[in-house]
């Protein structure tokens, strides 16, 4: 009996021990699973919070960082800005918003706007020009060198930043508010003029007054002369018309951004308050802004050299009372004009022009985008520079295929054949 009892006790203890082990193991297993679940949830919450914090920080940085360009934005020559940093301190960030009064960017953009208005342009046409240029360089670092987008004032040509075109191109890059290309046509490296907004606009006004406006590049669809552009009040159209000066590669231009920036500037600068002023316009641009709207030449002036608009011409045409005397007077005027034109024509040294070509053999490349030298030209610009070197009259900018014929005739050449 005792043996049976001992055996029964051992069996019971064994059974009880197994159950106890199972119960404890089960509890521990559930505890481990529960801890794992809780840990996982905490990790997910922590990770999610971390992402949110990072995103918010990036948004603030991009919003305030004036030295950072949109990754998708490209210069008009096709090169893509490469951001080198997204960091900025609060002081420099505060200067980067051109639409907020009190910032450095706003001050510079407003200077450009008012300079154009004071030259007679309507507020809307001035806003179009300022809006287009906003995505060219920037208004906080107005001397920004092409290819430099992250180092604050150190990205300015005034501080020695050398513009780069990117890729394999060895041509000089552009710089400044309007991305003057090549940059050397405005000012040399390290010049303080690269941080002078007034001088930059004065340079542009002078260039346009000499004919540097090509209606063939007008993206508004109107092919306006500069004077016609100066009178416009449609913001979207004035923004796109400004390409007649910029002559950017539209494959790399974002029209909607240009228009949106122009609209915003028109709003903050109250563009509608400023009307076209012919007296101011004539003083600033003279006949250089009145090139014909159906001409694609950037160097040819309109037959209407006094700058009168088409309505005034129409009024004169409708006046039939003195048509005979008007015609006679016009013929006489044209003859006098031709005589004056003939006097202005210079003798061109063809041998010297040919030497210009020979000197460039093996030293330059062909480029339609970087066509103003000194390292690359296209056919028309090469011809222009060669003949100018030989004594031809300069125009505001190198002639293109459409304008070189008139320019050649203006320099004494005779058209002997035209055909396929």
């Amino acid at each position: 009996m005792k043996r049976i009892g001992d055996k029964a006790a051992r069996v019971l203890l064994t059974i009880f021990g197994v159950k106890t082990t199972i119960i404890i193991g089960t509890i521990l297993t559930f505890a481990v699973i529960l801890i794992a679940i809780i840990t996982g949830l905490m990790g997910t919450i922590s990770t999610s919070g971390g992402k949110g914090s990072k995103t918010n920080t990036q948004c603030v940085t991009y919003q305030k960082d004036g030295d950072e360009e949109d990754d998708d934005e490209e210069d008009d020559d096709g090169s893509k800005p490469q951001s080198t940093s997204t960091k900025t301190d609060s002081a420099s960030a505060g200067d980067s918003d051109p639409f907020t009064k009190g910032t450095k960017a706003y001050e510079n953009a407003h200077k450009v706007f008012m300079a154009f208005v004071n030259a007679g342009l309507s507020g809307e046409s001035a806003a179009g020009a300022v809006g287009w240029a906003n995505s060219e360089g920037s208004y906080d670092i107005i001397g920004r060198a092409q290819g430099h987008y992250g180092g604050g004032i150190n990205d300015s040509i005034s501080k020695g930043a050398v513009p780069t075109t990117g890729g394999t191109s060895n041509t000089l890059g552009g710089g400044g508010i309007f991305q003057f290309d090549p940059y050397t046509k405005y000012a040399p490296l390290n010049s303080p003029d690269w941080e002078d907004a007034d001088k930059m606009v004065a340079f542009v006004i002078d260039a346009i007054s000499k004919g540097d406006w090509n209606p063939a590049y007008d993206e508004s669809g109107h092919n306006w002369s500069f004077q016609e552009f100066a009178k416009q009040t449609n913001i979207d159209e004035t923004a796109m018309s400004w390409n007649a000066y910029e002559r950017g590669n539209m494959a790399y231009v974002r029209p909607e951004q240009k228009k949106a920036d122009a609209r915003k500037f028109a709003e903050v600068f109250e563009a509608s308050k400023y009307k076209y002023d012919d007296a101011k316009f004539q003083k600033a641009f003279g006949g250089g802004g009145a090139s014909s709207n159906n001409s694609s030449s950037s160097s040819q002036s309109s037959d209407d050299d006094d700058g009168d608009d088409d309505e005034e011409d129409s009024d004169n045409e409708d006046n039939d009372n003195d048509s005979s005397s008007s015609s006679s007077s016009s013929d006489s005027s044209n003859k006098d004009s031709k005589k004056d034109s003939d006097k202005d024509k210079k003798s061109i040294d063809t041998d010297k022009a040919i030497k210009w070509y020979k000197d460039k053999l093996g030293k330059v490349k062909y480029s339609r985008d970087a066509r103003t030298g000194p390292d690359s030209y296209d056919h028309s610009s090469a011809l222009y520079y060669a003949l100018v070197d030989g004594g031809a009259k300069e125009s505001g900018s190198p002639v293109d295929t459409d304008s070189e014929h008139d320019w050649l005739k203006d320099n004494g050449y005779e058209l002997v054949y035209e055909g396929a």
Side-chain angles (χ1 to χ4, degrees), residues 43-359:
T44 301
I45 293 170
S46 175
T47 302
S48 175
K51 287 182 179 178
S53 175
K54 182 178 180 182
T55 301
N56 289 338
T57 301
Q58 289 175 335
C59 286
V60 172
T61 301
Y62 279 109
Q63 185 177 7
K64 292 184 177 181
D65 190 356
D67 298 328
E68 187 66 26
E69 295 289 332
D70 189 327
D71 289 341
D72 293 330
E73 174 66 8
E74 300 185 8
D75 285 340
D76 293 343
D77 63 357
S79 62
K80 188 170 183 177
Q82 296 299 316
S83 171
T84 58
S85 172
T86 59
K87 296 180 180 179
T88 182
D89 55 51
S90 58
S92 62
D95 276 337
S96 66
D97 184 356
F99 305 117
T100 299
K101 192 171 184 178
T103 67
K104 183 178 179 181
Y106 178 96
E107 178 185 340
N108 285 327
H110 191 250
K111 274 186 180 181
V112 176
F113 174 82
M114 290 306 302
F116 281 129
V117 165
N118 290 333
L121 275 66
S122 69
E124 291 82 0
S125 60
V130 176
W132 178 288
N134 188 47
S135 54
E136 296 299 304
S138 64
Y139 283 113
D140 56 333
I141 312 299
I142 61 174
R144 187 179 297 283
Q146 182 181 350
H148 296 259
Y149 298 91
I153 190 63
N154 290 325
D155 279 342
S156 174
I157 301 175
S158 68
K159 299 299 181 181
V162 180
T164 57
T165 56
T168 58
S169 174
N170 63 352
T171 60
L172 293 173
I177 296 173
F178 303 96
Q179 287 293 287
F180 302 120
D181 188 6
Y183 76 92
T184 51
K185 75 178 183 181
Y186 169 69
L189 199 65
N190 294 310
S191 171
D193 289 352
W194 284 108
E195 290 303 317
D196 191 324
D198 292 323
K199 283 189 176 181
M200 285 192 193
V201 179
F203 179 88
V204 172
I205 290 175
D206 181 64
I208 292 175
S209 70
K210 293 176 179 177
D212 195 1
W213 177 269
N214 193 331
Y217 288 85
D218 181 342
E219 291 296 325
S220 70
H222 295 288
N223 299 110
W224 284 316
S225 70
F226 184 71
Q227 185 177 31
E228 290 168 330
F229 158 79
K231 298 177 180 180
Q232 302 308 312
T233 58
N234 183 302
I235 301 295
D236 287 356
E237 291 183 347
T238 59
M240 300 314 297
S241 182
W242 186 251
N243 195 46
Y245 171 75
E246 294 283 355
R247 295 192 282 283
N249 185 340
M250 292 307 293
Y252 302 101
V253 173
R254 297 194 298 178
E256 289 310 312
Q257 179 186 2
K258 302 290 190 186
K259 295 175 186 177
D261 287 348
R263 289 187 217 113
K264 189 66 176 177
F265 281 122
E267 177 186 346
V268 298
F269 295 154
E270 300 181 283
S272 60
K273 289 169 42 177
Y274 305 96
K275 308 302 179 184
Y276 169 78
D277 188 316
D278 190 65
K280 291 181 179 179
F281 182 89
Q282 294 300 331
K283 183 178 180 180
F285 298 98
S291 57
S292 174
N293 67 342
N294 59 6
S295 167
S296 60
S297 168
S298 63
S299 61
Q300 299 301 312
S301 297
S302 167
D303 292 335
D304 181 19
D305 290 333
D306 61 358
D308 293 339
D309 59 25
D310 294 338
E311 291 180 2
E312 291 169 332
D313 293 339
S314 178
D315 290 340
N316 290 333
E317 290 171 3
D318 290 341
N319 187 355
D320 295 327
N321 295 331
D322 300 313
S323 59
S324 177
S325 62
S326 296
S327 175
S328 175
S329 175
S330 176
D331 290 341
S332 175
S333 176
N334 287 337
K335 289 177 182 177
D336 291 340
S337 177
K338 187 177 186 305
K339 288 179 182 178
D340 293 338
S341 177
D342 289 339
K343 289 178 184 177
D344 290 338
K345 290 176 181 175
K346 296 182 179 180
S347 175
I348 299 173
D349 187 338
T350 304
D351 290 334
K352 189 175 181 181
I354 293 173
K355 184 179 181 300
W356 183 93
Y357 274 103
K358 289 181 176 179
D359 290 342

